[in-house]
Amino acid sequence: MPHPENFAKGLSIGIIMDGNGRWAKKQGLPRTAGHKKGAEVFQDITRYCNELGVESVTFYAFSTENWKRPYEEVGAIMRLFGEYLIKAFDYQKENNRVVFLGERSALEPKHQKLMDEIETKTAHNTGMTLNIAVNYGGRQEIVHAAQQLARQVQEGALAPEDITEALMSQHMYTHGQKDPDFILRPSGEKRLSNFMLWQAAYSELVEMDVLWPDFTRNDLDLAIEEFNRRSRRFGGI
Ligand code: IPE
Ligand code: IPE
Ligand code: MG
């Protein structure tokens, strides 16, 4: 579908990549096949966001609650994370600045090392910011920020009254970034599932019935069009 040249320029988008398991079940395949296809879609949609001039995009890949899944499924997701999200994507070529959101100390040491390397190598890239949320929870992120600030208060470097919304934002994993303009959830679910709780205060929510492994560039166009039709008031009139 043709769209105006600049219709997504400068947008900040959050994407909850959901529906991999249901997609696999529909095809009569194991759930891991859905995660594999979902990881491929992640790569294509990242490239497309680059082409559209999106400012930042955050992909929710694994939540703090997803550890509840069977051991084999968690293992398969982590393997795919290593293969698709860390190694096999040319972040330099795409000129993306990559930031991993979440508590990475629970991840495999070799993955943690690669994540640190990618972040360092891409820190000065001038293109889109690509956030990948792994072992991420919005509540965990807020707790993490509170702990950092409490430490500063304890050391006498900060007074409790100096804790402002802006300072809290600076202690989120997304510090320095614009809050998401909209959060997209495919698979038909209508909930945030602990995604970007702090940053989502005024994000538009766009929910779509398509399962993530079936998600196409055209679906992203439709989501952006839906967002562009919304009237944002931020509490004003
Ligand atoms: C999203 O797909 C991937 C992760 C949560 C890691 P799901 O695995 O949640 O797929 P459904 O919701 O069961 O279909
Ligand atoms: C949210 O999806 C987490 C990710 C997409 C990584 P879930 O499938 O885990 O969420 P619930 O359980 O349906 O709320
Ligand atoms: Mg799900």
Side-chain angles (χ1 to χ4, degrees):
M1 198 197 298
H3 51 71
E5 183 72 6
N6 283 338
F7 90 134
K9 253 214 157 45
L11 282 184
S12 174
I13 306 175
I15 302 182
I16 301 175
M17 301 190 281
D18 197 18
N20 295 350
R22 280 163 279 171
W23 180 88
K25 193 168 178 209
K26 259 177 47 189
Q27 321 276 321
L29 295 168
R31 289 179 61 86
T32 48
H35 296 312
K36 183 159 185 287
K37 180 74 189 345
E40 290 167 15
V41 172
F42 155 81
Q43 296 194 337
D44 188 52
I45 294 301
T46 299
R47 285 193 194 94
Y48 189 48
C49 287
N50 278 316
E51 286 170 28
L52 290 174
V54 166
E55 179 176 308
S56 67
V57 59
T58 304
F59 288 96
Y60 201 6
F62 192 85
S63 75
T64 46
E65 288 73 38
N66 287 148
W67 297 105
K68 290 179 197 157
R69 297 186 178 203
Y71 182 77
E72 293 73 26
E73 179 168 343
V74 170
I77 293 172
M78 289 303 165
R79 254 193 316 284
L80 286 164
F81 172 63
E83 282 169 32
Y84 280 78
L85 276 65
I86 308 188
K87 275 190 228 152
F89 197 75
D90 196 344
Y91 298 108
Q92 284 303 11
K93 189 167 144 250
E94 302 283 342
N95 194 25
N96 291 146
R97 187 172 78 93
V98 182
V99 180
F100 293 97
L101 317 182
E103 181 45 63
R104 66 185 75 176
S105 61
L107 306 177
E108 278 183 50
K110 65 171 192 229
H111 287 165
Q112 290 183 44
K113 188 161 166 279
L114 275 166
M115 290 157 83
D116 291 342
E117 280 169 17
I118 291 171
E119 282 184 340
T120 307
K121 265 196 225 150
T122 64
H124 299 292
N125 284 353
T126 52
M128 182 174 84
T129 298
L130 173 58
N131 298 311
I132 303 174
V134 183
N135 191 23
Y136 172 87
R139 288 187 169 187
Q140 168 236 59
E141 181 178 35
I142 294 167
V143 167
H144 179 253
Q147 288 176 345
Q148 285 187 334
L149 292 171
R151 219 166 282 131
Q152 291 181 27
V153 171
Q154 191 182 37
E155 287 163 1
L158 187 73
E161 341 29 287
D162 292 337
I163 300 175
T164 58
E165 291 187 14
L167 193 64
M168 284 288 287
S169 293
Q170 280 171 33
H171 286 81
M172 298 295 152
Y173 297 120
T174 50
H175 53 88
Q177 300 186 35
K178 181 169 111 169
D179 288 339
D181 290 302
F182 73 91
I183 293 178
L184 165 66
R185 183 157 195 168
S187 92
E189 308 294 0
K190 297 177 179 65
R191 54 177 171 262
L192 284 175
S193 301
N194 207 6
F195 185 54
M196 300 192 99
L197 298 184
W198 176 267
Q199 299 88 340
Y202 265 103
S203 305
E204 296 292 325
L205 305 177
V206 178
E207 154 269 321
M208 295 174 86
D209 278 333
V210 57
L211 301 171
W212 178 251
D214 282 330
F215 194 88
T216 63
R217 291 177 171 218
N218 185 54
D219 290 317
L220 187 64
D221 285 351
L222 294 174
I224 295 167
E225 282 162 16
E226 166 69 24
F227 166 74
N228 284 337
R229 280 193 293 272
R230 302 278 178 91
S231 154
R232 303 179 83 186
R233 286 186 287 281
F234 300 100
I237 51 171

